[in-house]
Amino acid sequence: MEINMNQLTKIVIDTRGGDKGASAMVAGAAAALDKYPELGIVLVGDQQEIDTLCASLSMPSERLEILHAAEEITNHDSPAEALFQKQDSSMLKALQALSERKELFGLITTGNTGVLLAGAMRYLSGKNRVRPALAAVLPAQSGGFTCLVDTGATVDCTPPVLHHFARLGSDFMRDMYGLVSPKIGLLSNGAESSKGNKLVKETHVILAQDDSLCFVGNIEGNEALSGKCDVLVCDGFAGNQVLKVTEGTATRIITDIMKYAYKTGSGEIKTLASHLMSIYDIGSLGGGIILGVEKPVIKARGNAGPDAVVNTAGMLLNMSRNQAVFDAAQNHI
């Protein structure tokens, strides 16, 4: 198959900062290039290490570029210090390249979330600098998807910030999934408008008064992925717990089913477990998406392996066909 090099969608992959090292990220990049012929990749990290890994994987050089970065952002680095003291790190050089080069579409990284958010705001906010949100798109019981926002970018929020997150989530679901008027829910401990803490109650009033949003009211935790809302708004502390508890519960149930399947030798139960794994595997859905910036930045999990890189690259390719959500003109309070 002949490749038109001028029509490639080029993405950046930060090879450092993850639990499994550069080898997993480069292996994932190689698999993504093999799966998606329309994809081009810029790998950022230690050039000598990347060169060695690429040579062992026989990666197509015409769709590959390596950008050397001498430093690495660790999970112990604070955002403020890293932005000024580690400008030659792979994460910040990747963000800078994404900002400066028009042909680069998006970024995948497994690194420090706090530094990533600060760096994305610094390099990709454009003229209308706003507070970014970290969103996760999860499978809903209704058969569609629910955008959970925020999942950890801002743990201490104010009502205007949650209102802003609701608008970002609504824009994203409209432009990515074609929903004319995405339903907005507010995470609370009760469905009634009188339920919730001070933050939730005050936010409820603001969301209810915004005619540009389709606000459907409070959503309890057990209904988070029911499909009653397309966007579930919450502060980053609660959202991160929802994300991890959902994943942990799904993993526990699927593991128990698989153990039972092997114990009984039931092929049908094994098939069921495999089906459930394909639906609830968070890694298969890509990663957290930073909303409120000009280009898509995806934070994959720290322990992401090659398969997660491939899935996240596919996620970026889908986004490249729906770029309206990253128009900076939309991203303001």
Side-chain angles (χ1 to χ4, degrees):
M1 178 179 178
E2 187 174 347
I3 300 171
N4 187 334
M5 302 303 292
N6 294 323
Q7 295 181 353
L8 291 179
T9 297
K10 294 184 179 180
I11 67 172
V12 187
I13 297 179
D14 174 12
T15 64
R16 309 180 95 169
D19 299 340
K20 297 183 179 179
S23 59
M25 302 303 289
V26 176
L33 288 171
D34 185 58
K35 183 175 182 178
Y36 304 114
E38 70 273 36
L39 183 67
I41 292 178
V42 177
L43 294 172
V44 188
D46 182 270
Q47 182 156 6
Q48 183 175 356
E49 180 181 22
I50 295 174
D51 281 337
T52 301
L53 291 167
C54 290
S56 68
L57 295 167
S58 302
M59 296 173 71
S61 59
E62 70 277 6
R63 291 193 286 141
L64 183 66
E65 178 184 343
I66 299 171
L67 181 62
H68 178 65
E71 296 178 299
E72 177 178 356
I73 298 291
T74 72
N75 287 329
H76 302 292
D77 288 319
S78 72
E81 292 178 356
L83 285 179
F84 292 99
Q85 297 178 8
K86 289 193 171 182
Q87 295 184 29
D88 196 30
S89 62
S90 57
M91 180 186 288
L92 295 184
K93 291 197 76 169
L95 285 166
Q96 184 176 7
L98 188 62
S99 170
E100 296 175 350
R101 294 172 54 177
K102 292 183 178 179
E103 80 276 15
L104 299 181
F105 175 71
L107 166 67
I108 301 171
T109 181
T110 56
N112 183 310
T113 303
V115 178
L116 178 64
L117 289 161
M121 181 179 288
R122 174 178 179 178
Y123 289 106
L124 298 169
S125 287
K127 296 179 180 178
N128 299 310
R129 178 168 290 194
V130 300
R131 183 187 296 271
L134 189 61
V137 180
L138 304 174
Q141 185 178 340
S142 60
F145 295 94
T146 297
C147 177
L148 178 65
V149 56
D150 182 70
T151 61
T154 306
V155 295
D156 294 310
C157 293
T158 62
V161 168
L162 289 187
H163 180 210
H164 170 57
F165 288 172
R167 293 177 63 185
L168 289 179
S170 181
D171 286 346
F172 178 77
M173 294 303 284
R174 182 191 66 234
D175 293 320
M176 276 300 300
Y177 295 96
L179 303 178
V180 176
S181 185
K183 299 187 297 294
I184 309 297
L186 179 63
L187 183 66
S188 183
N189 63 335
E192 301 84 359
S193 60
S194 60
K195 292 294 182 69
N197 57 16
K198 186 175 184 290
L199 172 63
V200 170
K201 290 177 182 178
E202 292 181 0
T203 303
H204 190 285
V205 174
I206 295 175
L207 295 179
Q209 292 175 345
D210 187 344
D211 293 335
S212 69
L213 297 175
C214 180
F215 180 53
V216 297
N218 289 347
I219 300 291
E220 296 182 84
N222 63 330
E223 299 280 4
L225 300 181
S226 65
K228 287 186 176 181
C229 65
D230 304 303
V231 179
L232 182 59
V233 179
C234 53
D235 64 69
F237 182 85
N240 192 266
Q241 297 307 306
V242 169
L243 184 65
K244 290 179 178 177
V245 169
T246 298
E247 180 186 11
T249 301
T251 300
R252 168 63 193 276
I253 292 173
I254 293 170
T255 300
D256 287 346
I257 292 174
M258 187 64 77
K259 287 180 179 179
Y260 183 78
Y262 278 101
K263 180 179 179 180
T264 61
S266 172
E268 291 184 358
I269 297 179
K270 290 180 183 178
T271 301
L272 170 62
S274 297
H275 172 67
L276 292 174
M277 287 175 66
S278 69
I279 294 175
Y280 294 104
D281 176 19
I282 301 298
S284 71
L285 299 173
I289 309 157
I290 297 182
L291 302 181
V293 293
E294 291 181 301
K295 290 186 176 182
V297 174
I298 299 183
K299 167 62 174 75
R301 299 183 55 181
N303 65 353
D307 289 344
V309 176
V310 174
N311 293 327
T312 309
M315 191 176 179
L316 283 175
L317 285 174
N318 287 334
M319 289 183 186
S320 71
R321 306 179 186 101
N322 300 276
Q323 297 187 41
V325 73
F326 297 99
D327 180 355
Q330 296 182 49
N331 296 327
H332 57 83
I333 298 179

